[in-house]
Amino acid sequence: MSDAILAAGGGRRGGAARLLAPAAAALALLALPWFTNDYVQYIVNLILAYGLVAVGFNIVLGYLGQLAFANTAFFGVGAYAFGILMERYGLPFWAALLPAALAGGLTGLLIGLPALRLKGYYLAVVTLSLGELLRWGYIHGDTLTHGSSGLAIPPSTLEFLPLPEDAQRYYVLLIVGGLVLWATVNLLRSRVGRAWVAIRENEFAAASLGFSPALYKVAAFGWSGFVVGMGGALFALLIGRVAPESFDLHQLLLQFAIVMVGGLGSVVGSLLGALLLTAAPEVLRNFPGAEEIVFSLLLIGVLLFMPHGLSGMLRRVFPRLRERLYRSRP
Amino acid sequence: MFGQLVLSGISQGSIYALVALGMTVVYRATGVVNFAHGEFFMMGAFVLYVLVQLAGLPFYAAAPLAVILMFLCGKAVERALVRPIALAPHIIIAMMTVAVSYLLRGVARVFWGREVLPMPQVFDLPPLQLGEVILTAQDLVIVAVTLALMAGFFLVFHRSRFGRIAQAASANPRGAALIGIDVDAISGNMWGIAAALGAVAGILVAPITLLYPDMGGQVLIRAFAAMTLGGFGNLGGAIAGSLTVGVLEQLAGTYVSTAMIDIFAFIVIIVALILRPNGFFGKAEVARV
């Protein structure tokens, strides 16, 4: 999925290389399930889901430049909407994905409205509170969410595909995630994405150019909610269970670290961050405190020494990887 | 019943006020909202626990020592992690304090992962009985210490030379540096003082609550609620907000539902900020373009 961006960001290259490199990458991605076992495939799937979540979080944090921690709210709403639609209303998983992402998007719009009046710390505190309030809702919303024990996602295999479950899910993630990512990259390269960056750099100047900060901010929250909500639904599909503890402050730390390590305002960075960090909690979970210490030290290192994250470093070494905010030349 | 609830609310609210005071000190001096302040509070309690239970010091020696250690810890955090990015946008510094908060919590979890530690009572005095209302010695100490510290800081900020210098350093760091104010030193000392205040709060509550690595987050969010009510950086507002949150939380927890205690602060924050984005006593921010 990142090949499209890499290729498009690469500028003018030889015609053959321009076609061959993405084709090879696409082939490698498609063939991947033949080279993995179940566990590795599960981790790869998680990486894809978190890549999507990180891109969505980055829209508000990196492109719009607002310190909003609403991503755990979007993530949780997406996952719970997906779980409830499947478990309670018997929808097949492929039909529940889009409504779940839309629920995330709606949450984004709703959170975006009060966010218009708030800036900086106030926004951070309110969005943090909303996330925790929702988590309280999951715990106490017994009939819908089954409280702290969480709800189990019904088995969801595609009968017609003669593939192991994890490989099936991999292709689902590849298609769904790829589509959402493609839409996001295009959105970022359109007038909308440029308006978000303009608001980040100087809200007053952006307004003076005719961009309504209110409209574009709400749009950013809404789209971020949609993308992260979709990530949450896919996460629920992979985990097979939706429980309140999946949406606590550890989740926030993981997603925050992925975005920051990858680089604020960079789609490639978010995908890289997900690639590097998604598997870390699997290893660190057995040692109390290790998850927090490792991620916080990573965050501190990024903030002190490489404010643009990995993508910033990559851009310095390979200037071709610069992600433009305008469309490629025809 | 009602009187008892109000009194324990005031006692709880005093703790929130102390935590809010520590955050206000850093906010006034450096313009930074310190998301790691809850962890200073938690660390204060744990340092005291180590000194009393493991090193065997008497409380009256351990408590000042813990406050001094936390002062140094606050200064160290400022020097090592905040000062290098002092010129970065505030959003970056806020992210740094979020990272510090997780780091300190992680360190505490290494030692006390899943344990919940009880701390022995310090003030072994019989509780005061006033009619139907019972006041424990611990409650009285908490309220008294809070009042004394609040009054002290009010004087420092509004009446003393040091307070005015600190305000100048925050309002215009470059200008303050030009007229010979050591802005870095002030920032470091303010972080130290804030951490020490957090430790005082932690030490005061340690005997009446249990100690666990996540205890800071619980208090921080309530202090935030108090500060959003009172307006960030406003000392009087922080006290009024803290007492309001403390009392209302007790009342809501008893008369509405016990589950309300967990989320009352969040509701206060959301409702207050949507109605009054600059706090109830805060002034509207004027931005110069």
Side-chain angles (χ1 to χ4, degrees):
Chain A
M1 29 221 283
S2 63
D3 47 344
I5 308 151
L6 291 177
R12 274 174 203 278
R13 242 187 285 175
R18 238 184 128 153
L19 285 175
L20 275 178
L27 208 65
L29 277 177
L30 283 175
L32 192 76
W34 276 273
F35 303 98
T36 56
N37 60 29
D38 280 357
Y39 185 66
V40 173
Q41 190 60 53
Y42 167 74
I43 297 287
V44 169
N45 292 351
L46 265 189
I47 289 173
L48 292 181
Y50 271 105
L52 200 58
V53 169
V55 169
F57 189 11
N58 213 339
I59 291 171
V60 166
L61 200 65
Y63 287 93
L64 190 66
Q66 301 284 315
L67 187 57
F69 294 121
N71 54 312
T72 42
F74 305 152
F75 190 65
V77 167
Y80 266 104
F82 179 75
I84 291 168
L85 282 174
M86 280 186 73
E87 195 238 28
R88 207 176 161 79
Y89 299 102
L91 258 63
F93 79 91
W94 47 268
L97 280 174
L98 189 64
L102 287 173
L106 189 67
T107 317
L109 293 178
L110 288 178
I111 292 182
L113 286 176
L116 294 178
R117 299 191 60 179
L118 302 167
K119 280 211 184 73
Y121 306 124
Y122 288 119
L123 182 60
V125 175
V126 165
T127 47
L128 210 61
S129 303
L130 279 167
E132 289 295 289
L133 203 59
L134 275 175
R135 195 160 64 89
W136 183 86
Y138 308 145
I139 296 173
H140 290 85
D142 287 332
T143 48
L144 276 179
T145 63
H146 300 290
S148 39
S149 57
L151 53 85
I153 305 281
S156 43
T157 42
L158 295 166
E159 309 294 330
F160 61 88
L161 264 183
L163 281 173
E165 204 176 32
D166 286 307
Q168 287 192 0
R169 288 180 183 163
Y170 173 73
Y171 289 117
V172 170
L173 275 158
L174 217 52
I175 294 166
V176 175
L179 281 175
V180 175
L181 202 64
W182 172 75
T184 304
V185 169
N186 273 329
L187 197 61
L188 288 171
R189 281 200 199 142
S190 72
R191 181 187 162 83
V192 179
R194 288 192 293 276
W196 289 340
V197 172
I199 290 169
R200 173 187 80 196
E201 296 301 325
N202 188 335
E203 200 174 322
F204 300 104
S208 78
L209 290 174
F211 292 119
S212 153
L215 192 67
Y216 283 101
K217 275 187 185 175
V218 172
F221 273 92
W223 186 253
S224 170
F226 180 84
V227 177
V228 178
M230 182 64 91
L234 293 169
F235 173 80
L237 175 68
L238 295 177
I239 301 284
R241 185 170 153 268
V242 190
E245 80 258 13
S246 299
F247 310 101
D248 60 5
L249 294 174
H250 284 88
Q251 183 67 248
L252 177 63
L253 176 63
L254 172 63
Q255 297 181 4
F256 189 40
I258 289 176
V259 172
M260 295 298 294
V261 168
L264 282 173
S266 161
V267 170
V268 176
S270 287
L271 298 175
L272 267 180
L275 180 68
L276 290 176
L277 295 186
T278 298
E282 301 282 322
V283 187
L284 299 172
R285 199 161 284 148
N286 301 324
F287 311 99
E291 214 176 321
E292 280 149 322
I293 292 177
V294 169
F295 284 138
S296 57
L297 286 179
L298 272 175
L299 275 174
I300 289 172
V302 166
L303 287 167
L304 284 182
F305 305 116
M306 40 188 249
H308 300 290
L310 284 176
S311 66
M313 259 173 61
L314 273 179
R315 266 201 303 272
R316 237 180 338 200
V317 187
F318 308 103
R320 293 190 150 198
L321 291 183
R322 199 168 56 89
E323 289 164 58
R324 290 187 311 232
L325 288 166
Y326 46 87
R327 275 172 217 287
S328 9
R329 293 174 202 86
Chain B
M1 183 66 177
F2 182 79
Q4 185 68 54
L5 285 174
V6 170
L7 272 179
S8 49
I10 289 177
S11 168
Q12 280 292 319
S14 303
I15 289 297
Y16 306 156
L18 270 184
V19 174
L21 175 63
M23 295 184 68
T24 305
V25 165
V26 167
Y27 184 74
R28 291 271 287 248
T30 61
V32 174
V33 170
N34 179 11
F35 284 86
H37 194 71
E39 277 57 47
F40 287 155
F41 164 85
M42 176 271 292
M43 296 268 289
F46 271 106
V47 170
L48 179 79
Y49 179 86
V50 169
L51 292 175
V52 171
Q53 297 292 86
L54 306 180
L57 288 177
F59 176 83
Y60 295 100
L65 190 57
V67 172
I68 291 168
L69 285 175
M70 286 309 296
F71 175 82
L72 296 175
C73 171
K75 270 186 88 109
V77 166
E78 192 274 342
R79 183 68 195 85
L81 302 176
V82 178
R83 199 178 299 175
I85 54 166
L87 298 177
H90 278 175
I91 175 172
I92 298 291
I93 305 181
M95 288 176 180
M96 178 61 92
T97 65
V98 172
V100 171
S101 137
Y102 275 111
L103 178 63
L104 295 178
R105 209 182 292 187
V107 170
R109 212 184 301 284
V110 169
F111 295 103
W112 297 284
R114 291 176 183 84
E115 289 169 67
V116 186
L117 303 171
M119 181 84 191
Q121 282 289 340
V122 179
F123 307 104
D124 204 12
L125 300 170
L128 274 177
Q129 183 123 22
L130 304 167
E132 286 187 349
V133 180
I134 297 168
L135 263 180
T136 64
Q138 191 74 32
D139 287 337
L140 284 177
V141 171
I142 289 174
V143 175
V145 170
T146 304
L147 281 179
L149 282 172
M150 281 288 179
F153 273 88
F154 193 80
L155 286 179
V156 166
F157 266 116
H158 293 276
R159 295 283 175 272
S160 81
R161 191 178 148 71
F162 176 72
R164 279 197 288 270
I165 289 177
Q167 305 252 30
S170 143
N172 186 345
R174 184 187 287 242
L178 273 176
I179 58 165
I181 293 173
D182 189 346
V183 176
D184 282 345
I186 287 180
S187 161
N189 284 329
M190 285 302 185
W191 272 82
I193 290 170
L197 279 170
V200 170
I203 289 167
L204 285 174
V205 288
I208 49 174
T209 61
L210 298 163
L211 273 56
Y212 52 98
D214 288 320
M215 67 192 282
Q218 304 287 324
V219 174
L220 184 79
I221 202 73
R222 286 165 175 83
F224 262 133
M227 288 171 74
T228 46
L229 277 181
F232 276 55
N234 183 331
L235 279 180
I239 307 175
S242 300
L243 295 180
T244 313
V245 170
V247 170
L248 287 182
E249 182 180 70
Q250 293 290 324
L251 295 177
T254 309
Y255 293 117
V256 184
S257 145
T258 7
M260 281 293 287
I261 290 205
D262 296 330
I263 51 158
F264 188 74
F266 299 123
I267 296 176
V268 167
I269 290 175
I270 293 166
V271 172
L273 281 181
I274 289 172
L275 295 180
R276 295 280 325 236
N278 292 301
F280 274 93
F281 305 105
K283 291 186 202 79
E285 236 172 78
V286 181
R288 199 171 291 156
V289 187

